[in-house]
Amino acid sequence: MIEKRKWIWMDGNLVPWDQANVHILSHTLHYGVGAFEGIRAYHHEDGKSAVFRLPEHDQRLIDSAHLLELKVPYTREQIDAACMLTLAANGMECGYLRPIVYLGDREVGVYPGNEPDVRLAVIAWKWGAYLGPEALEKGIRVKVSTWTKHHVNSLLVRGKVCGHYVNSVMAKTEAKREGYDEGILLDHCGYVAEGSGENIFIVRKGEIFTPDMSASILGGITRDTVITLAREMGIKVNETRLTRSDLYLADEVFFSGTAAEVTPIHEIDRRQVGAGKAGPITRALQARYMKLVVGGVPGHDSWFSFYQPAEK
Ligand code: PMP
């Protein structure tokens, strides 16, 4: 259950948490046309607070809306500021941010109108390890889903669009019901796409492999961070098509995502992955990532947006 905070930012105002409501006729509720982001802010080793890769997330929000032919009535800088204000006003030294672009209640038909009524809200809450407290340490068990990832010409796969997540919810629910922690979605040709809310990487013979950007995947910001860190660490990264066999033959497999961070996978479809625990390259990348997000890796200043939490 989500722990309530004091304020939610809605269309330019901070609104008390319990009053942050939308009308039942919100077009997005009925048809799924909206976009959102998931962003983390971390409490740094030196006591400061910073949002990780905030401009990249907010740009992706604007891009997702653009794919849907929606014009967000705020600039990227204004959305950045709204995100930081929401964390600061709630006195949060760290936390998870959820900006969401959605449509109001002006149009009830499928066509959202010539000038859609585009709204923006920003919610912040505390979110620990997305896949459970032991996941980061011990790794998780996943299953290849019976659900297929969207065809690239069915949906706007590069967007983080509300309605896309029906597919993710189906895969996640199936995995949980069958006793797994998460699902992996294959595309309509059978190639590996991603997790229900994460990008996927495999390690084989000391090199890293991940589906390339022509796949039906979200262009994960954590994916990009992991690739950058891996290259800095001298690990070869291959962006390429992957099959189910590649998953089963991998020495190591892990997920990346803002919420999931770097989560090892130790079992897929009841087959042990590698040695059945987080492998050395996954561990090294995970440690580097966790150090980076709290300000411990020099050279990535532009990835941090510092803010000052209000006194509680
Ligand atoms: N794929 C999907 C479907 C997701 O929902 C997410 C989470 N936003 C990701 C990948 C990972 O993206 P990011 O690293 O930007 O959080």
Side-chain angles (χ1 to χ4, degrees):
M1 269 270 282
I2 187 169
E3 192 191 314
K4 285 187 196 177
R5 311 299 308 192
K6 205 166 174 196
W7 304 106
I8 289 179
W9 189 100
M10 287 181 94
D11 299 317
N13 301 304
L14 287 170
V15 177
W17 183 282
D18 286 325
Q19 291 169 30
N21 301 314
V22 291
H23 195 276
I24 194 69
L25 280 175
S26 160
H27 193 276
T28 307
L29 181 62
H30 296 249
Y31 304 116
V33 175
F36 67 96
E37 270 306 314
I39 313 171
R40 275 192 194 266
Y42 291 89
H43 194 200
H44 281 213
E45 287 163 338
D46 62 3
K48 291 184 188 156
S49 289
V51 187
F52 186 61
R53 304 197 70 177
L54 178 61
E56 289 92 332
H57 280 282
D58 288 340
Q59 187 58 51
R60 187 171 67 185
L61 183 70
I62 291 169
D63 291 347
S64 297
H66 177 74
L67 288 168
L68 296 167
E69 295 191 66
L70 303 179
K71 176 141 179 33
V72 184
Y74 300 94
T75 62
R76 205 217 68 230
E77 288 78 6
Q78 287 171 321
I79 306 173
D80 292 350
C83 286
M84 290 194 281
L85 176 64
T86 308
L87 285 166
N90 284 304
M92 297 172 72
E93 289 172 331
C94 59
Y96 181 84
L97 277 167
R98 169 60 58 84
I100 180 163
V101 170
Y102 61 99
L103 296 179
D105 45 73
R106 231 167 34 204
E107 297 292 337
V108 292
V110 168
Y111 182 46
N114 289 336
E115 285 180 41
D117 176 17
V118 182
R119 314 275 183 90
L120 176 68
V122 182
I123 312 110
W125 67 85
K126 276 271 162 72
W127 216 355
Y130 175 65
L131 290 155
E134 290 194 335
L136 293 172
E137 182 58 31
K138 293 198 172 150
I140 57 169
R141 300 176 57 247
V142 303
K143 106 181 264 289
V144 172
S145 186
T146 63
W147 297 99
T148 300
K149 190 69 204 286
H150 328 298
H151 186 287
V152 292
N153 198 34
S154 303
L155 290 168
L156 303 148
V157 294
R158 212 56 82 232
K160 196 166 164 63
V161 170
C162 299
H164 289 188
Y165 281 82
V166 174
N167 183 250
S168 291
V169 172
M170 300 311 281
K172 179 82 183 186
T173 303
E174 177 186 75
K176 294 293 276 184
R177 295 260 158 81
E178 293 181 21
Y180 295 90
D181 302 300
E182 184 56 285
I184 297 172
L185 288 137
L186 308 182
D187 69 15
H188 71 287
C189 291
Y191 294 101
V192 175
E194 58 183 350
S196 72
E198 308 87 5
N199 292 109
I200 191 162
F201 288 81
I202 72 168
V203 180
R204 178 111 171 124
K205 295 192 169 68
E207 294 183 13
I208 286 176
F209 299 81
T210 194
D212 65 87
M213 290 296 287
S214 71
S216 177
I217 60 169
L218 190 71
I221 290 163
T222 320
R223 175 187 181 279
D224 179 72
T225 305
V226 165
I227 290 173
T228 305
L229 291 179
R231 290 191 172 134
E232 285 174 7
M233 292 158 78
I235 304 167
K236 182 156 189 252
V237 181
N238 306 276
E239 296 181 65
T240 183
R241 248 177 5 184
L242 295 174
T243 63
R244 200 161 174 163
S245 308
D246 294 319
L247 294 176
Y248 296 156
L249 290 173
D251 300 325
E252 305 177 28
V253 185
F254 64 89
F255 277 140
S256 73
T258 298
E261 297 166 320
V262 175
T263 300
I265 296 172
H266 68 77
E267 193 186 310
I268 304 176
D269 295 342
R270 303 198 178 275
R271 294 159 188 249
Q272 180 176 304
V273 174
K277 55 181 189 186
I281 291 187
T282 307
R283 279 241 164 278
L285 278 166
Q286 184 191 48
R288 194 81 181 153
Y289 183 81
M290 296 317 291
K291 196 170 173 197
L292 167 75
V293 294
V294 295
V297 175
H300 297 290
D301 294 353
S302 67
W303 285 355
F304 301 99
S305 299
F306 291 96
Y307 66 95
Q308 182 68 49
E311 297 290 325
K312 276 179 231 155

